[in-house]
Amino acid sequence: MSWTARLAELGIELPEVAAPLAAYVPANRSGQYVYTSGQLPFVKGALAATGKVGGDISPEEAKAHARTCGLNALAAVHALVGIDSVVRIVKVVGFVASAEGFTGQPAVVNGTSELLGEVFGEAGRHARSAVGVSELPLGAPVEVELIVEIGE
């Protein structure tokens, strides 16, 4: 089954690629790999939430926003090389704007990791970092980037 068919089976539509906020591209290919820029939880061109996780934003809400970030990252991959060229997800890096004392970053970034597992199965298993930060662009609660291996 193609990844396009798998997305359709799951009822998942990839969004439009989020417009870059500065001087960069949403994704870049180098050899067999695609590297996405950090993706924020944009929905139809608007940031879905702002605030710090563990303060203004609950961990459960942040996990849902991390899923949105993952969808946006997949959209960037798809726009560059086509989703069906994905061989596997190599790495996820998630940044969580964290309120003082919040240490649940791994559970938040699971929003992206679980999405990738749903879509790609074993090929979605990846290495990962989940990092707590004091601020993210535009006040976003979470940001995610991917490294994806692609076929020729």
Side-chain angles (χ1 to χ4, degrees):
M1 172 184 295
S2 72
W3 301 130
T4 300
R6 178 67 181 150
L7 287 167
E9 179 181 273
L10 293 169
I12 296 173
E13 280 189 49
L14 293 178
E16 292 293 318
V17 177
L21 300 175
Y24 61 88
V25 294
N28 212 348
R29 178 181 179 172
S30 179
Q32 296 294 117
Y33 297 94
V34 171
Y35 299 80
T36 70
S37 295
Q39 298 294 315
L40 301 177
F42 280 110
V43 176
K44 296 181 180 175
L47 194 58
T50 60
K52 304 252 174 122
V53 181
D56 313 304
I57 306 283
S58 75
E60 295 78 21
E61 290 171 305
K63 182 178 178 182
H65 294 309
R67 181 181 176 91
T68 300
C69 293
L71 286 169
N72 289 337
L74 290 178
V77 171
H78 180 61
L80 184 66
V81 298
I83 199 74
D84 289 326
S85 68
V86 171
V87 172
R88 69 184 176 118
I89 306 300
V90 177
K91 186 165 184 180
V92 172
V93 180
F95 302 95
V96 180
S98 302
E100 176 113 14
F102 180 73
T103 60
Q105 293 84 6
V108 170
V109 181
N110 275 349
T112 297
S113 294
E114 291 170 5
L115 166 71
L116 297 172
E118 286 174 46
V119 174
F120 298 104
E122 190 64 27
R125 292 176 50 91
H126 52 270
R128 189 180 88 177
S129 298
V131 182
V133 298
S134 61
E135 298 290 340
L136 286 170
L138 304 178
V142 64
E143 180 175 355
V144 170
E145 59 185 55
L146 303 179
I147 300 173
V148 177
E149 182 181 354
I150 58 169
E152 285 300 320

